[in-house]
Amino acid sequence: TVNPAAVADAGPDAAVCDGRRLTLGTPARAGYTYSWSGGPGLSSTSVAQPVLTASNNTGTAMVRTYFVTATTGNGCPSTDSVTITINPRPAAEAIAGPVSVCPTVMGIAYSVVSPAATAYQWLVAGGTIASGQGTSAITVDWGTANPAGAVRVFRLNAQGCSSDTTSLPVVINQRLQTVRPTGPGDVLAVAPLPRSVCQADGPYTYRSGAFTNGSSYSWTIVGGTQVSTFQNTATPTRNPV
């Protein structure tokens, strides 16, 4: 009895980036057994279609050849091979720029530290890229207050392999709204505050809303001299007329 020859098919040659996965071979045939050899990274050496996890920690492309031997139920073997080019990935690079900004501020600069290339792709959360996309430096127009803003960057090499994405967290701080000061002599004051005061009296204390923890206040006195300040209050004396 002449048994039919086995059909072995390792699949088409391919290129893959470091760290990526690629399925080799073709679907299993009924009654066949399979055996793979040729290099590391295979999920199994005894299935028709193992998954290759590519690994290349060098700076140049690496070529590997994988072999599959298919054997029929009658013991007839056949071998085929596939060539896989494993391309390296560029290294991730650090980002320089402010990590704490005010809301709606425009034109804030970010750049790759010591760029190893000229072409980069940027992603921004909490703002928009105003200029520089595709280069090693950008400017960002930030949006409203957001504790989870971020600037991210990655690049592709000539083989189309991407670096890991570097992320720089950015806090878009809440901008305080200054409350109009009020106190004695305020023409808009309501009782019990007096709407006028005498020059010889005082000093008087003026207040800007409720004190906000972590805030600082700066006062400017026109027509008087500042005696003291505390949190959101200021106490001046009036200059003689």
Side-chain angles (χ1 to χ4, degrees):
T1 300
V2 179
N3 293 313
V7 178
D9 189 349
D13 295 344
V16 65
C17 296
D18 168 55
R20 299 297 188 259
R21 294 183 176 184
L22 178 68
T23 299
L24 306 183
T26 55
R29 292 174 178 262
Y32 277 44
T33 59
Y34 295 87
S35 177
W36 286 84
S37 63
L42 296 178
S43 61
S44 173
T45 59
S46 59
V47 297
Q49 291 185 286
V51 175
L52 169 66
T53 300
S55 178
N56 181 357
N57 296 321
T58 72
T60 58
M62 178 184 297
V63 178
R64 293 191 181 277
T65 301
Y66 292 87
F67 300 89
V68 61
T69 298
T71 304
T72 66
N74 295 317
C76 297
S78 179
T79 299
D80 190 31
S81 65
V82 61
T83 298
I84 304 298
T85 301
I86 304 175
N87 292 308
R89 300 174 63 206
E93 298 177 65
I95 302 170
V99 297
S100 179
V101 298
C102 293
T104 67
V105 67
M106 302 176 68
I108 303 302
Y110 294 87
S111 62
V112 174
V113 178
S114 301
T118 57
Y120 293 83
Q121 293 299 308
W122 295 83
L123 304 167
V124 172
T128 58
I129 298 173
S131 65
Q133 178 65 282
T135 72
S136 62
I138 61 169
T139 59
V140 175
D141 294 343
W142 288 109
T144 55
N146 185 346
V151 176
R152 301 182 177 92
V153 70
F154 67 92
R155 71 179 178 94
L156 304 176
N157 60 17
Q159 292 77 35
C161 297
S162 169
S163 69
D164 287 335
T165 299
T166 300
S167 182
L168 180 70
V170 177
V171 175
I172 309 171
N173 296 290
Q174 179 68 50
R175 177 180 291 164
L176 296 178
Q177 299 297 319
T178 303
V179 177
R180 178 182 179 276
T182 188
D186 182 358
V187 296
L188 299 180
V190 295
L193 286 176
R195 300 181 66 177
S196 65
V197 294
C198 296
Q199 180 177 323
D201 296 336
Y204 299 103
T205 298
Y206 297 84
R207 180 183 304 273
S208 174
F211 175 69
T212 301
N213 286 334
S215 301
S216 61
Y217 295 78
S218 177
W219 292 81
T220 300
I221 309 298
V222 179
T225 301
Q226 184 170 306
V227 175
S228 65
T229 62
F230 178 71
Q231 295 183 348
N232 60 323
T233 64
T235 301
T237 57
R238 298 185 179 275
N239 294 335
V241 176

